[in-house]
Amino acid sequence: MAETTKTHPTTSGPGEGDHPAYVPRSPEFRAAAQALRGMRQDLLHDVFAYRPLPRLAADAPFVRRFPAPLRRHVVWARHAVVLLLAWATLAAGASTGYDLASPVYVVTSVIPAAAVVLTLLRPVAAFWLSLGSAALLAVLGVDWDGWPFQPAGFAGHLSVLTVVAIRTRPRTAAWMWLLTAAYGLLTEPFAGYPYGGSDSVEFLFLSALVLLAVTVWHIRRDAEEEVTAQQTVTEHERSRRTLLEERTTIARELHDVVAHHMSVVAIQAEAAPYRVENPPPELAKAFATIRENAVAALTELRRVLGVVRAEDYEAPEAPQPTLADLDALLANVREAGLTVDRTVTGAVRELPQGVELSAYRIVQEALSNTLRHAPGATARVEIGYVIGGLGLRVVNTPPPAPAPSAASPGAGHGLTGMRERVTMLNGEMTAGPTPEGGYEVTVYLPARTPGEDGGTA
């Protein structure tokens, strides 16, 4: 069987249904088309869009340098600078000797100044008004030494280029300069008529320097904003990592506490039948079930903790600390140079081990923060055994000398761990500076012993 090949025409004539073949565009053509689209977007789209110049923020660094009564006026500083440039444009037009009431002065001076003022509301429209007025002034003006920019047009258009470049972006500034250069090249053949020379080169050189400075400012500002954003993200991630690490530490400590109690339950359930002579089979079976459940719970605890425990973590051999170990903790911080006192109020009693452990860690972290952020200060630890819970208060005096301003990485996240522990126990916590200049941490941890739950002891 003969094989046939069906071909499709690459071009189409009248009446043919096939589409014409795709002709790839050259990179130069695509670059030029993209550039023209950029110009249309920057200078032709929404020419009369209303974009008022915003005031300075009341908390801006420049505004905070002034006394409070003047700040409500200083927020208009940028508007005042633009109006000052408009006044300078009017003054440049008056220097030509025109009568201030003549129509020529209105055309050659007021219009360029109005274009400068218009940058406060419609920056793109202000550029086109300024460029158009420059051409009009070149025709109406009599100062042929300033061709094609009359004095007012020179000052006004330079001011407009600067303000609009600051308010927009570097690409828009480049397009404005190129259009101004095109205007200067088109008027260059008339530079010698009737006498004098062109000032296009001077204007283009000066405006290029100004726009270059504005572009550098834009790039630096964008870089600072990007760095600030990255620092914010980094700080957020550091806080999140610290929070997760603290939760992991709490999980490890809770494992040790719960595992201890479950081990005791398993051992007592195993030994209980041997303490009774001839125990009933039902009782022996019940104790065996209790032991099996306790062992299963311990196995699950170890399996879950293996997910959050680091490979190099070693479980502490010593039991978890409690409030009874505060004396050793206070002795350690005193050796580190911190003068600390302890006050205990209420009837001292044994609390659930989780509450004792959390209270110990909170006091430990509060004293560590005092050593780190208030060297030389004195601290006081107040422990109150109240009905239904435990109250803690750790307060330090102001340091005799200002603390170093550069904080170490991760500093400032100790309060996060405290709040995690308090939240876990449904407690309450407040932390903040004292009126005297020190710092205070106040915590309440609800904790009822079995005899305080409403039953009989």
Side-chain angles (χ1 to χ4, degrees):
M1 178 182 291
E3 181 178 356
T4 61
T5 303
K6 185 179 179 179
T7 59
H8 296 277
T10 57
T11 59
S12 62
E16 296 183 3
D18 296 330
H19 297 284
Y22 171 74
V23 180
R25 304 292 185 181
S26 64
E28 294 80 4
F29 179 85
R30 290 198 298 268
Q34 184 177 1
L36 291 177
R37 284 195 298 268
M39 184 191 69
R40 183 168 62 252
Q41 179 182 357
D42 293 343
L43 297 179
L44 298 179
H45 183 66
D46 292 337
V47 174
F48 298 100
Y50 182 68
R51 300 170 184 171
L53 179 65
R55 296 180 297 176
L56 291 172
D59 57 347
F62 175 76
V63 178
R64 291 201 303 264
R65 297 178 182 177
F66 293 86
L70 297 178
R71 291 178 183 176
R72 61 189 183 94
H73 303 291
V74 177
V75 295
W76 299 97
R78 293 189 292 197
H79 299 72
V81 171
V82 174
L83 295 178
L84 182 62
L85 293 175
W87 176 84
T89 303
L90 285 174
S95 65
T96 58
Y98 294 134
D99 185 3
L100 300 183
S102 66
V104 177
Y105 175 76
V106 173
V107 174
T108 58
S109 301
V110 175
I111 294 180
V116 177
V117 176
L118 188 60
T119 58
L120 295 174
L121 303 176
R122 293 177 168 85
V124 178
F127 164 73
W128 288 112
L129 177 61
S130 177
L131 186 61
S133 65
L136 182 62
L137 298 181
V139 176
L140 298 179
V142 297
D143 186 7
W144 297 106
D145 289 334
W147 174 273
F149 293 98
Q150 295 292 305
F154 193 102
H157 196 57
L158 182 61
S159 301
V160 168
L161 288 180
T162 304
V163 176
V164 177
I166 293 175
R167 295 202 57 194
T168 54
R169 51 182 175 177
R171 189 180 72 178
T172 305
W175 278 118
M176 291 189 301
W177 188 87
L178 289 175
L179 290 175
T180 303
Y183 162 73
L185 292 177
L186 291 176
T187 56
E188 189 68 26
F190 307 99
Y193 174 80
Y195 50 83
S198 172
D199 58 359
S200 297
V201 176
E202 292 84 350
F203 180 86
L204 293 177
F205 178 76
L206 181 59
S207 61
L209 292 180
V210 174
L211 295 182
L212 178 61
V214 173
T215 301
V216 172
W217 174 79
H218 269 295
I219 295 174
R220 180 178 179 182
R221 185 191 63 175
D222 294 342
E224 291 177 351
E225 291 178 353
E226 184 177 357
V227 169
T228 302
Q230 291 295 331
Q231 289 177 346
T232 303
V233 172
T234 302
E235 181 67 19
H236 176 73
E237 292 297 329
R238 183 184 295 119
S239 301
R240 181 177 177 83
R241 184 172 63 251
T242 303
L243 180 61
L244 294 177
E245 290 175 355
E246 187 63 31
R247 289 180 177 178
T248 302
T249 302
I250 294 174
R252 294 168 181 167
E253 295 175 349
L254 285 179
H255 165 267
D256 297 336
V257 172
V258 176
H260 168 72
H261 290 293
M262 295 301 295
S263 299
V264 173
V265 170
I267 294 173
Q268 290 180 346
E270 185 178 9
Y274 299 100
R275 296 183 180 182
V276 179
E277 185 177 357
N278 299 322
E282 295 81 1
L283 180 62
K285 183 178 181 181
F287 280 117
T289 302
I290 293 174
R291 181 183 180 281
E292 291 176 359
N293 290 334
V295 173
L298 283 172
T299 303
E300 290 297 326
L301 275 176
R302 295 189 182 97
R303 182 180 296 112
V304 173
L305 188 67
V307 177
V308 296
R309 174 168 288 171
E311 295 181 359
D312 57 349
Y313 174 79
E314 296 181 0
E317 297 180 359
Q320 295 290 349
T322 63
L323 291 176
D325 301 310
L326 273 183
D327 290 335
L329 173 64
L330 299 182
N332 288 335
V333 296
R334 290 190 183 105
E335 292 179 359
L338 177 64
T339 302
V340 57
D341 298 326
R342 183 180 68 164
T343 303
V344 180
T345 58
V348 179
R349 65 186 186 277
E350 184 178 356
L351 298 173
Q353 190 170 359
V355 176
E356 295 256 355
L357 173 61
S358 296
Y360 179 90
R361 295 301 188 197
I362 290 172
V363 173
Q364 183 183 41
E365 184 62 37
L367 295 178
S368 298
N369 287 343
T370 302
L371 285 170
R372 184 184 303 113
H373 301 292
T378 60
R380 184 172 69 256
V381 178
E382 300 177 3
I383 304 174
Y385 290 86
V386 297
I387 298 177
L390 177 71
L392 295 175
R393 182 173 180 264
V394 182
V395 59
N396 62 268
T397 60
S405 57
S408 58
H413 298 294
L415 294 177
T416 303
M418 296 184 194
R419 290 193 175 92
E420 280 293 302
R421 295 180 181 275
V422 173
T423 302
M424 176 187 65
L425 297 174
N426 294 325
E428 299 177 359
M429 172 180 168
T430 58
T434 62
E436 295 79 13
Y439 203 83
E440 176 182 2
V441 176
T442 305
V443 174
Y444 171 73
L445 300 177
R448 290 183 175 271
T449 61
E452 294 174 337
D453 270 338
T456 58

